[in-house]
């Protein structure tokens, strides 16, 4: 027989014979709907990138993606730039340090 701890009375009950008075009370804030909360796509915002007004979050993010911009927050978005590493500079610095400490 499987038992589980009851948060209502503080005792242990069998799962098949759970007492009626220990059933959790449903708070009035809960809904019977299968999905009571959803996030809408509607928004009225001016883009910080191109200054246009958008009424859809998806269209705003699509415009950001097509411009190569990453949406971070309230900051003005910047294009993504990966820094180029100069391997010759790194190699020269390693040689200089190696010569300095192994001489």
């Amino acid at each position: 027989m499987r038992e589980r701890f009851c948060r209502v009375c503080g005792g242990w009950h069998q799962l098949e014979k759970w007492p009626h008075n220990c059933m959790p009370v449903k708070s009035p804030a809960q809904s019977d709907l299968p999905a009571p909360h959803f996030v809408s796509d509607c928004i009225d915002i001016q883009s910080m990138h191109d200054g246009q007004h958008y009424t859809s979050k998806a269209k705003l993010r699509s415009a950001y993606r097509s411009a190569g911009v990453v949406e971070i927050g309230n900051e003005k978005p910047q294009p993504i730039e990966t820094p180029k590493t100069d391997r010759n500079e790194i190699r020269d610095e390693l040689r200089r340090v190696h010569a300095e400490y192994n001489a």
Side-chain angles (χ1 to χ4, degrees), residues 41-57:
D41 184 54
C42 297
I43 191 171
D44 185 24
I45 191 168
Q46 181 178 4
S47 170
M48 296 179 79
H49 176 66
D50 57 9
Q52 294 183 3
H53 284 276
Y54 289 92
T55 56
S56 168
K57 294 177 191 175

Side-chain angles (χ1 to χ4, degrees), residues 7-96:
R7 295 181 186 177
V8 177
C9 71
W12 290 85
H13 303 301
Q14 294 178 3
L15 291 178
E16 295 82 18
K17 299 177 184 176
W18 201 269
H20 181 69
N21 58 346
C22 287
M23 290 292 187
V25 179
K26 187 175 183 181
S27 71
Q30 292 178 335
S31 172
D32 291 331
L33 298 173
H37 180 73
F38 68 95
V39 178
S40 174
D41 184 54
C42 297
I43 191 171
D44 185 24
I45 191 168
Q46 181 178 4
S47 170
M48 296 179 79
H49 176 66
D50 57 9
Q52 294 183 3
H53 284 276
Y54 289 92
T55 56
S56 168
K57 294 177 191 175
K59 289 182 181 178
L60 175 66
R61 291 185 177 127
S62 173
Y64 282 162
R65 275 194 304 273
S66 66
V69 174
V70 176
E71 183 179 5
I72 296 174
N74 293 336
E75 303 155 3
K76 188 161 178 96
Q78 300 294 326
I80 300 171
E81 295 179 16
T82 56
K84 299 281 183 175
T85 56
D86 187 6
R87 295 198 177 275
N88 289 332
E89 256 186 56
I90 295 172
R91 205 172 290 124
D92 292 343
E93 182 67 17
L94 287 173
R95 286 183 182 140
R96 184 191 67 77

